[in-house]
Amino acid sequence: MSEAVASADTRREPTAEEFIEMRDSQEFGRLRSAYRSFTFPMTVAFFVWYVVYVLAAVFAPDFMGIDIGGGWNVGLVFGLAQFVTTFAITWVYVRYANKKIEPLAADIRQKLEG
């Protein structure tokens, strides 16, 4: 039997009261705060960046159509930057979560499951 399966068998199932108690605890508040302090600002920033891209495409087609050479224009570069930004945010979030969120979640999990 693998160690992962064996450790899963030794975990205890927390009661509903324990879940409620943990939900109301300062520990869970810190976890929620750590998650929100990254996701809310990053979501707003990316949404603004996306809306600027869309609005520029709609209301500034001459700007977006500026040729920058090699068959590339400003609109194409901005569009590709959307993908790059998405991957960059994902990479930064994974690093942030591993450093800030996962230790808090693991501590809560350990306290609930033993």
Side-chain angles (χ1 to χ4, degrees), residues 13-71:
E13 186 70 31
T15 65
E17 292 80 19
E18 289 173 320
F19 275 117
I20 292 169
E21 184 180 320
M22 184 56 74
R23 178 199 65 194
D24 297 336
S25 71
Q26 287 182 350
E27 294 164 292
F28 192 75
R30 283 192 296 273
L31 173 63
R32 193 172 38 233
S33 177
Y35 174 75
R36 289 178 177 172
S37 69
F38 181 89
T39 55
F40 288 169
M42 194 60 69
T43 300
V44 169
F46 185 77
F47 182 73
V48 168
W49 163 227
Y50 176 73
V51 169
V52 166
Y53 169 66
V54 171
L55 292 176
V58 172
F59 295 109
D62 293 336
F63 170 71
M64 296 294 269
I66 294 173
D67 185 36
I68 57 175

